Amino acid sequence: MHSHFLLLVLFAFFVSLVFALLAKDDPKEQLRFGGMMFAGFVGAAVVLGWLMYPFPF
Amino acid sequence: MRAKTVEETQAGSLVLLCLAAWAIPGVGHLWQGRRAKGLLFLIVLPVMFAIGLGIHGQLFPFDFSDPLVGLACLADFGIGLPYFIASALGLGVGDVRAVTYEYGNAFVMTAGLLNFLVVIDAYDIALGRK
Protein backbone atom coordinates (compact mmCIF):
# COMPACT_ATOMS: atom_id res chain seq x y z
CA MET A 1 0.00 0.00 0.00
CA HIS A 2 2.00 2.99 -1.24
CA SER A 3 -0.78 5.46 -2.07
CA HIS A 4 -0.32 8.43 0.24
CA PHE A 5 -3.87 9.60 -0.39
CA LEU A 6 -5.37 6.21 0.47
CA LEU A 7 -3.35 6.11 3.70
CA LEU A 8 -4.48 9.65 4.51
CA VAL A 9 -8.14 8.70 3.95
CA LEU A 10 -7.73 5.55 6.06
CA PHE A 11 -6.09 7.51 8.88
CA ALA A 12 -8.83 10.18 8.75
CA PHE A 13 -11.51 7.46 8.84
CA PHE A 14 -10.08 5.74 11.93
CA VAL A 15 -9.49 8.94 13.88
CA SER A 16 -12.93 10.37 12.99
CA LEU A 17 -14.62 7.12 13.99
CA VAL A 18 -12.96 7.01 17.42
CA PHE A 19 -13.57 10.70 18.12
CA ALA A 20 -17.23 10.42 17.05
CA LEU A 21 -17.72 7.45 19.40
CA LEU A 22 -16.03 9.31 22.26
CA ALA A 23 -17.72 12.66 21.78
CA LYS A 24 -21.33 11.65 21.05
CA ASP A 25 -23.71 8.99 22.36
CA ASP A 26 -26.54 9.16 19.85
CA PRO A 27 -25.82 7.18 16.63
CA LYS A 28 -27.19 9.97 14.39
CA GLU A 29 -25.03 12.56 16.10
CA GLN A 30 -22.03 10.24 15.89
CA LEU A 31 -22.57 9.85 12.14
CA ARG A 32 -22.91 13.62 11.65
CA PHE A 33 -19.91 14.51 13.85
CA GLY A 34 -17.74 11.74 12.40
CA GLY A 35 -18.70 12.62 8.82
CA MET A 36 -17.89 16.30 9.34
CA MET A 37 -14.59 15.47 10.98
CA PHE A 38 -13.64 13.05 8.20
CA ALA A 39 -14.55 15.61 5.52
CA GLY A 40 -12.58 18.25 7.42
CA PHE A 41 -9.47 16.06 7.62
CA VAL A 42 -9.52 15.07 3.95
CA GLY A 43 -10.57 18.52 2.70
CA ALA A 44 -7.89 20.30 4.75
CA ALA A 45 -5.21 17.88 3.54
CA VAL A 46 -6.15 18.42 -0.11
CA VAL A 47 -6.30 22.22 0.28
CA LEU A 48 -2.99 22.37 2.17
CA GLY A 49 -1.44 20.02 -0.39
CA TRP A 50 -2.41 22.39 -3.23
CA LEU A 51 -1.25 25.45 -1.28
CA MET A 52 2.15 23.81 -0.77
CA TYR A 53 2.39 22.72 -4.42
CA PRO A 54 4.44 25.76 -5.64
CA PHE A 55 7.11 25.33 -2.95
CA PRO A 56 10.26 23.60 -4.17
CA PHE A 57 10.95 21.87 -0.84
CA MET B 1 -15.07 3.52 58.66
CA ARG B 2 -17.42 1.46 56.48
CA ALA B 3 -17.72 4.37 54.04
CA LYS B 4 -13.92 4.48 53.80
CA THR B 5 -13.80 0.75 52.96
CA VAL B 6 -16.42 1.23 50.24
CA GLU B 7 -14.42 4.14 48.84
CA GLU B 8 -11.24 2.02 48.84
CA THR B 9 -13.05 -0.82 47.07
CA GLN B 10 -14.37 1.60 44.46
CA ALA B 11 -10.92 3.11 43.98
CA GLY B 12 -9.47 -0.39 43.59
CA SER B 13 -12.02 -1.39 40.98
CA LEU B 14 -11.48 1.91 39.15
CA VAL B 15 -7.74 1.22 38.93
CA LEU B 16 -8.48 -2.31 37.71
CA LEU B 17 -10.96 -0.96 35.15
CA CYS B 18 -8.45 1.57 33.83
CA LEU B 19 -5.68 -1.05 33.63
CA ALA B 20 -7.97 -3.46 31.75
CA ALA B 21 -9.16 -0.64 29.46
CA TRP B 22 -5.53 0.24 28.67
CA ALA B 23 -4.33 -3.36 28.22
CA ILE B 24 -7.13 -4.39 25.84
CA PRO B 25 -8.69 -1.48 23.92
CA GLY B 26 -12.46 -1.30 24.45
CA VAL B 27 -12.61 -3.62 27.44
CA GLY B 28 -13.39 -0.72 29.80
CA HIS B 29 -16.54 0.04 27.81
CA LEU B 30 -17.51 -3.63 27.44
CA TRP B 31 -17.08 -4.06 31.23
CA GLN B 32 -19.61 -1.26 31.81
CA GLY B 33 -22.16 -2.58 29.32
CA ARG B 34 -21.33 -0.22 26.44
CA ARG B 35 -21.09 -3.12 24.02
CA ALA B 36 -21.29 -1.33 20.66
CA LYS B 37 -18.62 1.23 21.54
CA GLY B 38 -16.44 -1.36 23.27
CA LEU B 39 -16.55 -3.73 20.28
CA LEU B 40 -15.73 -0.93 17.85
CA PHE B 41 -12.74 0.19 19.94
CA LEU B 42 -11.67 -3.45 20.28
CA ILE B 43 -11.59 -3.80 16.50
CA VAL B 44 -10.58 -0.35 15.26
CA LEU B 45 -7.60 0.46 17.51
CA PRO B 46 -5.70 -2.85 17.13
CA VAL B 47 -6.41 -2.77 13.36
CA MET B 48 -4.98 0.75 13.16
CA PHE B 49 -1.92 -0.39 15.16
CA ALA B 50 -1.49 -3.45 12.91
CA ILE B 51 -1.76 -1.37 9.72
CA GLY B 52 0.93 0.95 11.11
CA LEU B 53 3.25 -1.99 11.71
CA GLY B 54 2.34 -3.46 8.31
CA ILE B 55 3.48 -0.33 6.48
CA HIS B 56 6.87 -0.34 8.23
CA GLY B 57 6.03 1.75 11.28
CA GLN B 58 8.43 1.47 14.21
CA LEU B 59 7.94 0.64 17.88
CA PHE B 60 10.27 3.11 19.55
CA PRO B 61 12.51 2.05 22.46
CA PHE B 62 12.09 3.47 25.96
CA ASP B 63 14.98 5.91 25.66
CA PHE B 64 14.63 9.39 27.09
CA SER B 65 18.19 10.41 26.18
CA ASP B 66 16.43 11.50 22.99
CA PRO B 67 13.20 13.12 24.24
CA LEU B 68 11.32 12.66 20.97
CA VAL B 69 12.07 8.93 20.93
CA GLY B 70 10.92 8.68 24.56
CA LEU B 71 7.67 10.50 23.82
CA ALA B 72 7.08 8.36 20.73
CA CYS B 73 7.57 5.28 22.93
CA LEU B 74 4.97 6.57 25.41
CA ALA B 75 2.51 7.06 22.53
CA ASP B 76 3.24 3.53 21.22
CA PHE B 77 2.84 2.16 24.74
CA GLY B 78 -0.74 3.51 24.92
CA ILE B 79 -2.16 0.63 22.89
CA GLY B 80 -1.50 -1.81 25.77
CA LEU B 81 -1.06 -5.56 25.21
CA PRO B 82 -0.75 -5.35 21.40
CA TYR B 83 2.47 -3.36 21.96
CA PHE B 84 4.00 -6.19 24.00
CA ILE B 85 2.73 -8.89 21.62
CA ALA B 86 4.20 -7.03 18.62
CA SER B 87 7.50 -6.52 20.47
CA ALA B 88 7.65 -10.21 21.44
CA LEU B 89 7.02 -11.22 17.82
CA GLY B 90 9.84 -8.96 16.64
CA LEU B 91 7.49 -6.63 14.75
CA GLY B 92 7.85 -2.87 14.62
CA VAL B 93 11.51 -2.81 13.66
CA GLY B 94 10.71 -0.04 11.20
CA ASP B 95 12.35 0.61 7.86
CA VAL B 96 13.36 4.24 7.41
CA ARG B 97 13.94 3.60 3.69
CA ALA B 98 10.29 2.66 3.16
CA VAL B 99 8.07 5.32 1.59
CA THR B 100 5.41 4.61 4.21
CA TYR B 101 7.70 4.70 7.27
CA GLU B 102 6.36 8.03 8.62
CA TYR B 103 2.77 7.03 7.86
CA GLY B 104 3.33 3.80 9.75
CA ASN B 105 4.64 5.72 12.77
CA ALA B 106 1.62 8.05 12.61
CA PHE B 107 -0.77 5.07 12.62
CA VAL B 108 1.02 3.27 15.48
CA MET B 109 1.42 6.33 17.71
CA THR B 110 -2.09 7.65 17.06
CA ALA B 111 -3.63 4.26 17.88
CA GLY B 112 -1.84 4.39 21.25
CA LEU B 113 -2.85 7.99 21.96
CA LEU B 114 -6.47 7.30 21.00
CA ASN B 115 -6.49 4.36 23.40
CA PHE B 116 -5.44 6.74 26.21
CA LEU B 117 -8.53 8.83 25.38
CA VAL B 118 -10.67 5.67 25.39
CA VAL B 119 -9.34 4.82 28.88
CA ILE B 120 -10.22 8.32 30.12
CA ASP B 121 -13.71 7.93 28.61
CA ALA B 122 -14.19 4.59 30.41
CA TYR B 123 -13.04 6.26 33.65
CA ASP B 124 -15.58 9.09 33.17
CA ILE B 125 -18.37 6.56 32.56
CA ALA B 126 -17.40 4.68 35.74
CA LEU B 127 -17.61 7.93 37.73
CA GLY B 128 -21.06 8.64 36.27
CA ARG B 129 -19.94 11.75 34.42
CA LYS B 130 -21.25 10.41 31.10
Side-chain angles (χ1 to χ4, degrees), chain B residues 12-42:
Chain B
S13 60
L14 268 178
V15 170
L16 199 63
L17 174 86
C18 289
L19 277 175
W22 164 75
I24 305 170
V27 159
H29 287 75
L30 288 171
W31 189 334
Q32 298 179 91
R34 309 264 175 133
R35 285 187 194 164
K37 278 190 183 186
L39 277 175
L40 277 168
F41 291 141
L42 187 62

Side-chain angles (χ1 to χ4, degrees), chain A residues 40-53:
Chain A
F41 270 132
V42 176
V46 170
V47 169
L48 285 172
W50 274 107
L51 286 176
M52 289 189 290
Y53 186 70

Side-chain angles (χ1 to χ4, degrees), chain B residues 55-124:
Chain B
I55 56 175
H56 307 291
Q58 185 177 356
L59 291 177
F60 288 92
F62 193 77
D63 177 14
F64 271 90
S65 60
D66 183 345
L68 288 180
V69 170
L71 289 172
C73 174
L74 285 183
D76 291 349
F77 198 61
I79 196 69
L81 273 183
Y83 173 90
F84 297 103
I85 294 169
S87 296
L89 293 174
L91 301 171
V93 178
D95 181 3
V96 290
R97 296 165 303 173
V99 177
T100 54
Y101 173 71
E102 293 296 347
Y103 280 91
N105 289 338
F107 271 75
V108 170
M109 284 189 267
T110 307
L113 293 172
L114 286 174
N115 194 39
F116 279 135
L117 289 178
V118 170
V119 172
I120 293 168
D121 192 57
Y123 178 76
D124 277 343

